[in-house]
Amino acid sequence: MKIFNSLTMTKQEFVPIEPGKVRMYVCGPTVYNLIHIGNARPMIVFDTVRRYLEHRGYEVNYVSNFTDVDDKIIKAAVEEGVTAEEIAERYIAECKKDMEAMNVRPATTHPLATKEIPGMIEMIGKLIEKGHAYEKNGTVYFSTRSCRNYGELSHKNLDDLRSGFRSLKVSGEDEKEDPLDFVLWKPKKEGEPFWTSPWSDGRPGWHIECSVMAKRYLGDSIDIHAGGEDLVFPHHENEIAQSTCANGVPFANYWMHNAFLNIDNKKMSKSLGNFFTVRDISQKYDLQVLRIFMLSAHYRSPLNFSAELMDSAASSLDRIRRAASRLKDLASAGDGAALTEAEEKVLAEAREFVGKFDEKMDDDANTADALSVIFDLVRFANTNVPDGAPAILAEGVLGVLTELSDVLGIIPLVDEGSIDAEIEELIAKRQAARKERNFALADQIRSDLLARGIELMDTREGVKWKRI
Ligand code: AMP
Ligand code: ZN
């Protein structure tokens, strides 16, 4: 597989440190709110990379953290009058629900920053000892000038950056020896959560947590480190500085960064307020539609969110599901007849789609082209596996379709029962809304269901529904 490595800015053949095994770290969300679909982009994209590596036979140790101590979490806790821990716990649970609904597999380990403080204190101590960090009034800073390769990932001109920072000097920054130095540990403020350290009662900076968690769960050197492109500088640059200076070996061999999910060509973000949460989207669409929408673009291309693209993803999903369900029916209805020579050939041709799919994914995880291969397979199945085809043929082709869909996290065969239960639940919610004379909500549920292809009919015997 070739991966575009942000460190070298070239596509490189992937060679793991240990043959057959992959150590992969993906920066996870800060948990102070429901995740938005911008946050979902790296989750879906890198879950797909992981699935593909496993499909190629690698054993993947996949680590993704939750940042559960941070200014925004503390602010949310103060606003609600609860502890920061309560906020973090709540939104970690909600995030895990969203991940499951998007068919993003749980990581091998999901470490929490607050549970890794001893490791952070140890690494900061080591950085001070080796002359890469210094303490001023209870705050510990990383000394960027002490790190030979600082700037290698972001390819920035450090002198320009330094002079830029100097003119923008903010209060409290005066004690830094260099404007690019960053915080490893800072003293607590009144009412904030804190831990005791040799330097002050306080808490770690953000960057140190990822260096420590990657080290603890994957080792000093890892294969792939990934995250959104906004993390390249300073977060990932600083992770490299901390890890290489503390451990004395290269940190990550391949750096992968996804481009933004935009709305009206602007980054979707909490601070701009131009976001949809994954939960909002799940009210209107099956989250498999969101998954297809995300994978329809290359992960390094910006992607603009729009209802049209979501609708086109919905019809793509429908096409895959209809083909899969037809093959399943054929497999259960078909007789046990052996395959004719011509049918053997069809099955062999269907299997060739695996190679075509792999070729696309081998090219820096080109999911857009890999999806096209799945659609080609769907077309192939619709024309070459006719009604009345032998069961083994239908089963064989369905096997290929299921295998490839699964690499992209798409579920081609759905249990109709579970969807029906979800619809019944929404209908009950609509009835309750009507009882409370909340007609706006009732109408919303009706139109959301309609968007999913479900029509409600109010009859004398109660509400009935049908698929349209
Ligand atoms: P945060 O909670 O802001 O630290 O973000 C968690 C992950 O989501 C990081 O990898 C970010 O780079 C990524 N991310 C946040 N917003 C977007 C966006 N609009 N498009 C793509 N990735 C994003
Ligand atoms: Zn990180």
Side-chain angles (χ1 to χ4, degrees):
M1 181 183 194
K2 278 200 161 69
I3 291 179
F4 181 89
N5 187 354
S6 317
L7 195 62
T8 55
M9 299 292 268
T10 54
K11 273 189 204 170
Q12 287 174 278
E13 192 58 43
F14 176 66
V15 184
I17 297 166
E18 207 177 318
K21 295 195 172 169
V22 181
R23 308 173 198 166
M24 183 165 178
Y25 187 94
V26 182
C27 292
T30 307
V31 279
Y32 63 102
N33 216 321
L34 289 174
I35 57 162
H36 62 67
I37 55 174
N39 303 132
R41 192 171 188 191
M43 286 180 184
I44 290 175
V45 159
F46 298 120
D47 173 63
T48 304
V49 171
R50 169 202 196 173
R51 285 168 180 265
Y52 181 63
L53 290 165
E54 288 181 351
H55 162 78
R56 295 309 296 262
Y58 289 105
E59 190 186 306
V60 184
N61 188 352
Y62 189 93
V63 177
S64 191
N65 65 305
F66 286 112
T67 297
D68 62 345
V69 57
D70 168 90
D71 288 343
K72 293 182 217 116
I73 299 173
I74 296 168
K75 186 166 167 258
V78 170
E79 277 165 13
E80 275 195 36
V82 297
T83 61
E85 204 177 351
E86 196 174 325
I87 295 283
E89 258 172 31
R90 184 196 307 157
Y91 290 112
I92 287 169
E94 295 299 339
C95 179
K96 286 186 173 169
K97 277 190 218 157
D98 287 338
M99 285 169 61
E100 191 182 344
M102 294 188 292
N103 202 23
V104 168
R105 284 171 43 207
T108 316
T109 313
H110 279 291
L112 306 184
T114 54
K115 302 282 184 293
E116 308 290 335
I117 307 284
M120 298 190 216
I121 292 176
E122 193 184 324
M123 191 179 276
I124 297 170
K126 189 169 235 172
L127 287 169
I128 296 178
E129 200 182 290
K130 291 175 119 184
H132 294 295
Y134 56 93
E135 186 252 342
K136 293 248 170 103
N137 304 317
T139 302
V140 183
Y141 296 97
F142 184 91
S143 161
T144 49
R145 281 194 192 273
S146 76
C147 180
R148 205 158 35 95
N149 295 334
Y150 192 75
E152 67 177 345
L153 177 71
S154 50
H155 311 282
K156 286 193 183 286
N157 180 325
L158 298 185
D159 292 333
D160 284 356
L161 269 183
R162 286 194 167 101
S163 54
F165 271 104
R166 229 165 261 129
S167 55
L168 279 172
K169 219 169 218 177
V170 268
S171 63
E173 302 263 288
D174 292 351
E175 56 184 19
K176 281 190 196 176
E177 289 172 2
D178 183 284
L180 291 185
D181 290 355
F182 57 91
V183 169
L184 296 172
W185 187 267
K186 58 184 168 192
K188 66 171 183 184
K189 290 199 196 106
E190 199 46 46
E192 286 183 353
F194 68 91
W195 291 264
T196 299
S197 81
W199 316 288
S200 58
D201 284 350
R203 61 188 165 101
W206 169 37
H207 316 298
I208 192 76
E209 66 178 71
C210 289
S211 283
V212 167
M213 294 189 240
K215 179 182 170 79
R216 170 148 185 214
Y217 296 100
L218 297 171
D220 288 358
S221 289
I222 70 174
D223 294 299
I224 302 174
H225 196 313
E229 67 183 7
D230 53 336
L231 300 185
V232 171
F233 188 86
H235 185 54
H236 288 163
E237 193 71 68
N238 292 353
E239 276 189 45
I240 295 178
Q242 296 162 154
S243 296
T244 49
C245 291
N247 304 328
V249 289
F251 179 38
N253 290 338
Y254 302 85
W255 286 86
M256 297 179 82
H257 292 102
N258 64 275
F260 290 144
L261 177 74
N262 294 329
I263 209 160
D264 299 325
N265 299 309
K266 271 197 219 84
K267 180 194 172 189
M268 183 178 285
S269 75
K270 296 252 166 76
S271 54
L272 290 174
N274 59 349
F275 63 90
F276 293 112
T277 63
V278 170
R279 213 53 70 80
D280 293 333
I281 296 300
S282 74
Q283 300 287 319
K284 262 207 156 71
Y285 299 93
D286 180 332
L287 289 177
Q288 285 272 294
V289 172
L290 182 69
R291 190 144 185 146
I292 292 191
F293 160 76
M294 295 283 185
L295 299 178
S296 307
H298 190 270
Y299 74 93
R300 285 190 292 113
S301 305
L303 176 58
N304 215 30
F305 182 78
S306 74
E308 292 76 50
L309 286 178
M310 286 295 283
D311 290 345
S312 128
S315 67
S316 300
L317 178 63
D318 193 49
R319 242 187 301 156
I320 296 172
R321 286 194 168 159
R322 257 190 288 171
S325 139
R326 193 181 78 90
L327 290 170
K328 188 179 164 220
D329 290 346
L330 288 178
S332 47
D335 55 29
L339 298 185
T340 62
E341 209 170 298
E343 286 162 348
E344 289 276 9
K345 201 162 154 263
V346 169
L347 193 52
E349 269 182 63
R351 291 205 180 105
E352 281 168 20
F353 281 85
V354 178
K356 294 179 195 163
F357 176 93
D358 289 358
E359 203 179 291
K360 305 299 180 191
M361 289 298 286
D362 274 344
D363 182 14
D364 191 28
N366 191 337
T367 56
D369 285 0
L371 256 177
S372 301
V373 173
I374 292 186
F375 297 134
D376 291 345
L377 174 61
V378 162
R379 224 168 294 126
F380 176 86
N382 291 342
T383 39
N384 293 285
V385 186
D387 289 350
I392 343 172
L393 177 62
E395 250 167 48
V397 177
L398 179 59
V400 179
L401 180 59
T402 311
E403 181 188 345
L404 299 187
S405 301
D406 186 57
V407 175
L408 299 185
I410 297 164
I411 304 165
L413 283 172
V414 272
D415 169 10
E416 299 270 326
S418 68
I419 294 190
D420 291 1
E422 191 198 339
I423 293 167
E424 298 292 348
E425 206 175 293
L426 283 167
I427 291 175
K429 210 166 135 191
R430 174 170 169 268
Q431 293 300 83
R434 288 189 356 163
K435 229 182 206 155
E436 289 161 15
R437 309 192 65 75
N438 184 350
F439 297 114
L441 177 62
D443 287 349
Q444 184 65 46
I445 293 173
R446 173 194 277 277
S447 64
D448 287 352
L449 281 169
L450 200 57
R452 289 171 58 175
I454 309 292
E455 187 182 6
L456 301 188
M457 294 156 300
D458 294 306
T459 73
R460 245 178 251 239
E461 293 82 43
V463 183
K464 300 234 159 78
W465 62 272
K466 64 172 183 199
R467 290 193 168 85
I468 47 168

